[in-house]
Amino acid sequence: MSRIGLKTIEVPDSVTVTKDGDNITVKGPKGELTRYFDPKITFEQKDGEINFSRSSESDKALHGTERANLASMIEGVVNGYKKTLKLIGVGYRAQVQGNKVTLNVGYSHPVVLTAPEGVTVKATSATDVEVEGVSKQDVGQFAAEIRAVRPPEPYKGKGIRYVDEYVRRKEGKTGK
């Protein structure tokens, strides 16, 4: 049985959850998110709580996934999501102009990435980049795209990594 799907979701007073067909819209102080939800999973909202139920036992995984998606949407419109990346390497730096991020990470040319709608990017220093937004998926995806430009390598540790990421270092070649 789905343990996550059976948990109730507490809805804060500042958030409204509405269902329009198969789409659920969540509005809060930081923004608004809309997402398609599978009709096999139904939800009931009363007294500031949301409970999910499924139509058959074969939908266990979907049950937990849809509940987790709605909980992430509510968390996003209330608090928002943030990922911080660090550029490690000589001459590695990032610049932000509007919604464009320019990365100089050891290539012969700068790499320019455009942030999706609803995601804001800030360069807190020349080597730190913060990605913020209300959608957990969009923030995580754009942070992963930035990291994919130059993932951290295990020998010197150079590259772009998340602030809380641990890169396991390898020993280099040994001489004679």
Side-chain angles (χ1 to χ4, degrees), residues 50 53 63 65 87 89 95 98 101 103 113 124-126 141 148 151 157:
I50 297 177
S53 61
H63 186 199
T65 301
L87 284 70
Q95 295 174 326
V101 181
L103 301 169
L113 299 171
T124 55
S125 70
Q141 180 64 39

Side-chain angles (χ1 to χ4, degrees), residues 77-109:
V77 298
V78 172
N79 300 323
Y81 289 100
K82 179 167 81 168
K83 294 257 186 190
T84 307
L85 297 121
K86 189 158 193 64
L87 284 70
I88 297 173
V90 177
Y92 286 16
R93 64 183 185 277
Q95 295 174 326
V96 176
Q97 296 165 346
N99 66 343
K100 292 189 183 291
V101 181
T102 305
L103 301 169
N104 294 315
V105 287
Y107 295 123
S108 61
H109 60 283

Side-chain angles (χ1 to χ4, degrees), residues 100-164:
K100 292 189 183 291
V101 181
T102 305
L103 301 169
N104 294 315
V105 287
Y107 295 123
S108 61
H109 60 283
V111 179
V112 179
L113 299 171
T114 304
E117 188 177 326
V119 174
T120 59
V121 184
K122 288 189 274 186
T124 55
S125 70
T127 59
D128 291 337
V129 178
E130 286 185 355
V131 182
E132 295 180 347
V134 294
S135 173
K136 186 177 190 177
Q137 181 177 352
D138 292 345
V139 169
Q141 180 64 39
F142 189 62
E145 288 173 10
I146 292 173
R147 184 183 179 277
V149 170
R150 179 73 85 169
E153 55 97 14
Y155 294 103
K156 291 185 178 178
K158 292 169 47 172
I160 303 172
R161 67 172 80 168
Y162 299 111
V163 167
D164 57 351

Side-chain angles (χ1 to χ4, degrees), residues 19 21-24 35-43 52-56 58-59 61-67 69:
K19 185 171 183 174
D22 292 337
N23 293 324
I24 295 179
R35 185 183 183 103
Y36 168 81
F37 278 79
D38 199 296
K40 296 176 191 173
I41 308 299
T42 59
F43 81 94
F52 282 85
S53 61
R54 59 181 177 263
S55 57
S56 69
S58 63
D59 299 327
L62 188 61
H63 186 199
T65 301
E66 297 293 31
R67 186 252 175 226
N69 286 339

